[in-house]
Amino acid sequence: MNNDTPASQEPPSDFGIRLMEGEEVIFSLRPYRFEWFAVVQCAITIVGIIFVPFALIWAVIAVRRYHYWLTNKRVIWCHGFIGYQVRSVPLERIADVVISRTLAEMVAGISSIDIRDMTGQTQIRTAFGSGSGAKWIGVKDAPEIQKRILEQIKQVNENSKRL
């Protein structure tokens, strides 16, 4: 799966995402090794081994619905299985960008990025990252992506102080 998408790629309209006036896509990502992560996530328990074939089928279908964007104004993520959910957080509302490496992620050889907003609420999430928080599962070169997001947040915050 290609994790390096051209910076000019706009979010596809079939996800229902519209860019705001003056908004530009900085980068667009899809999960790296997502199918492997789904199988490992399921197989790390003895009971879960039974569900590995179902987890693989789920991942093959779901991976088409997982997509992440950074724009000059917000982070956007789309996730789902048959349907999907699109969420976004304005950059000025992001409190932290954290690299995650759970046991399943380490075994699958991936990292994820948790984007925490300023609400301060506990984020309840299922094993595959759905819930009220932003978890970008399977981010290739997570430290570099984290750095780029944090740089964009800093730039937005500096621009808002000038106004």
Side-chain angles (χ1 to χ4, degrees):
M1 183 161 316
N2 187 1
N3 214 21
D4 302 316
T5 324
S8 63
Q9 180 184 352
E10 291 190 17
S13 61
D14 64 328
F15 284 126
I17 301 169
R18 303 286 183 265
L19 295 179
M20 297 182 283
E21 186 175 322
E23 186 174 24
E24 297 174 9
V25 174
I26 295 170
F27 65 76
S28 171
L29 302 174
R30 287 205 176 264
Y32 172 72
R33 301 181 72 172
F34 186 77
E35 294 88 348
W36 181 237
F37 167 72
V39 168
V40 169
Q41 179 75 19
C42 192
I44 59 175
T45 65
I46 294 171
V47 176
I49 291 173
I50 299 167
F51 299 105
V52 166
F54 300 108
L56 180 59
I57 292 167
W58 173 87
V60 168
I61 294 169
V63 73
R64 295 182 193 140
R65 296 293 186 191
Y66 278 69
H67 205 121
Y68 322 118
W69 296 271
L70 172 66
T71 75
N72 59 335
K73 295 187 178 199
R74 60 190 169 145
V75 292
I76 306 168
W77 66 102
C78 180
H79 61 90
F81 176 54
I82 295 172
Y84 61 90
Q85 182 178 33
V86 177
R87 306 204 49 203
S88 69
V89 175
L91 293 174
E92 61 270 5
R93 300 273 311 150
I94 295 174
D96 202 2
V97 180
V98 179
I99 296 174
S100 166
R101 297 258 352 223
T102 64
L103 176 62
E105 290 166 337
M106 287 189 292
V107 172
I110 66 169
S111 295
S112 295
I113 291 183
D114 281 309
I115 298 172
R116 299 182 181 164
D117 65 22
M118 293 182 181
T119 61
Q121 298 174 355
T122 303
Q123 305 297 327
I124 299 171
R125 204 179 276 120
T126 66
F128 294 106
S130 63
S132 55
K135 183 166 184 166
W136 292 10
I137 299 171
V139 176
K140 190 175 185 179
D141 197 12
E144 179 61 27
I145 297 301
Q146 177 193 41
K147 178 183 170 190
R148 290 180 71 187
I149 295 169
L150 290 170
E151 286 172 351
Q152 194 63 39
I153 292 167
K154 181 180 177 185
Q155 184 177 359
V156 165
N157 289 337
E158 287 174 353
N159 289 342
S160 67
K161 286 179 184 177
R162 290 183 197 144
L163 299 175

